Each structure stands twice: as structure tokens, then as C-alpha cells.
Amino acid sequence: SFHKNSILEFKNVYFKYPGSENFVLNNLNLKIHAGEKLCIVGENGSGKSTFIKLLTRLYFPTQGEILLDGVNINEFDYYMYTKMFSPTLQDFNLYYLTVKENVILDYEEDNKRLDLISKQSGLASLIKKLSHGYETPVYKWEAIDGFQPSGGEGQKIAITRAIYRDSQILLLDEPTAALDPNAEYEIYTQFHKIINDKCAVLIT
């Protein structure tokens, strides 16, 4: 598992999609230390999302290797390895469930913890406005008393979900791409407060 002295390392990593001649990543060498905040900035198509998919074992390097504390990540149990990550991706999903169910999903229910994290993420102010609080259905198609979240509101639900999962590494893949500058600023400010003791990788 990922502990306070752990290091994730990309070692001479190359990646190209099957059938393509071009390398998306070309000899990438990078270390991510536990507790570190890493921000990766690049233009569209520069391989940022590919990096996340390699890190989470959705893709395999064409050449080179990715190591956790010196061991190739493919040698770890896949389920245990992916539990280390809490991703909030650009194309996150919300479901035809209540707000609370959207946050907790299949994790253990802890209402005190949910309240605390909602305050940290800024979701609590939205909960106060909703007709049934946490029990309000997301989307109106399935329920008359449901609500249609704005981009910023949906993002707060997704971020609260990622933090509730309580993994050691937070992954944020362009989490504010669809938001206006004010909403984006609010999300990043909240995140800065929340991730003080976690490893976080932000892609933008």
C-alpha cells in the first residue's frame, strides 16, 4: 500500500496507442512522493490523461515500467492497487440516486463523516437549499422532486465522493474544465484546504 514514505515512479516510460506510429509519452521519468502535490499542465493531446490511465493500470506502458516502492505496479493485486486512488475525472458520472447515495456509493455509510466532508468540499451549502437535503434525488427525469445540478454543483458531488472514499492519492483530471472562473476558483480553494495530508495529482 501507499504509506508516508512511498514513491510511485515512472521509469523510462513510453506509450503509443496500438496501430499508431507516434508516442504519446516519450521516455517519461517522474517520481511522486507520498504527501506531494503534483500539478501537470499541458495542452490537449499532450498525454496528460494517458498518464493517469497508466498510473491507474487502465493502460500498460509500451516500454519502460511504473514502480511502487521499487516493485512493478502490475505485480500488485489489481483491486488493492486501485483502492489507493480517488479519481475525479473530467467526465465524472452522477447517477439516478439521491445526493447521499451518489457520494457514498457502495462504501460504508457514516453520516458524521459525510457532514464533515460536505463542509470541506462546499457541498453542505447546496444540501441546505435542496428540498430533501441529502435525500434529494439527482436529476428530475426519475423523480418530480429531484434537482438538476449545474456543472459546479455536480463537480462538488463528485469531489465529495472522491474524498469520502478516503484513498491515499487524489487524482484530478481537469476537474473544472466545464466550470466558469468563479466556480473553478471555489473548487480549487476548497481542494487546497482538504488535501493537506494527502498525495494529490492535478491535471489541467
Side-chain angles (χ1 to χ4, degrees):
S1 69
F2 200 70
H3 51 79
K4 65 179 182 178
N5 297 316
S6 282
I7 298 173
L8 268 163
E9 180 180 7
F10 279 65
K11 197 169 182 180
N12 308 122
V13 170
Y14 292 77
F15 181 82
K16 66 180 175 182
Y17 289 96
S20 170
E21 295 296 308
N22 301 322
F23 283 98
V24 182
L25 296 175
N26 198 325
N27 198 21
L28 176 64
N29 288 278
L30 174 75
K31 286 184 181 178
I32 305 169
H33 296 262
E36 185 175 28
K37 315 294 178 275
L38 176 68
C39 186
I40 298 173
V41 182
E43 294 176 359
N44 289 342
S46 60
K48 303 186 306 295
S49 292
T50 304
F51 166 79
I52 290 286
K53 290 182 170 113
L54 285 164
L55 182 61
T56 54
R57 285 174 57 179
L58 290 170
Y59 294 168
F60 298 101
T62 308
Q63 288 173 238
E65 56 183 347
I66 305 165
L67 308 168
L68 171 58
D69 297 328
V71 178
N72 190 301
I73 59 172
N74 296 320
E75 293 186 28
F76 294 99
D77 174 80
Y78 180 76
Y79 177 71
M80 296 304 292
Y81 178 80
T82 54
K83 272 184 75 174
M84 296 191 330
F85 301 97
S86 284
T88 302
L89 307 178
Q90 190 176 343
D91 52 353
F92 66 88
N93 287 317
L94 296 180
Y95 306 100
Y96 297 119
L97 302 166
T98 64
V99 177
K100 183 190 213 173
E101 289 166 333
N102 262 286
V103 170
I104 294 174
L105 296 179
D106 60 346
Y107 292 90
E108 192 175 332
E109 187 173 327
D110 181 339
N111 289 323
K112 280 187 181 173
R113 195 156 161 268
L114 177 63
D115 281 338
L116 176 65
I117 292 167
S118 294
K119 285 184 184 128
Q120 292 175 329
S121 69
L123 182 65
S125 56
L126 169 65
I127 296 299
K128 285 177 191 167
K129 295 179 198 167
L130 296 176
S131 55
H132 301 291
Y134 285 115
E135 302 303 328
T136 307
V138 176
Y139 301 128
K140 294 189 176 182
W141 300 328
E142 295 283 304
I144 298 167
D145 54 356
F147 88 108
Q148 184 72 35
S150 67
E153 289 166 346
Q155 202 50 278
K156 280 180 185 172
I157 295 170
I159 285 171
T160 308
R161 176 196 296 163
I163 298 157
Y164 190 90
R165 182 172 172 163
D166 198 29
S167 299
Q168 298 104 316
I169 304 168
L170 282 163
L171 296 177
L172 308 160
D173 187 4
E174 298 196 39
T176 59
L179 305 186
D180 66 67
N182 287 339
E184 183 176 43
Y185 176 76
E186 185 188 351
I187 294 281
Y188 282 138
T189 303
Q190 296 288 5
F191 238 104
H192 184 66
K193 292 175 187 168
I194 294 163
I195 62 175
N196 55 358
D197 62 338
K198 288 190 182 293
C199 180
V201 179
L202 169 64
I203 286 187
T204 188

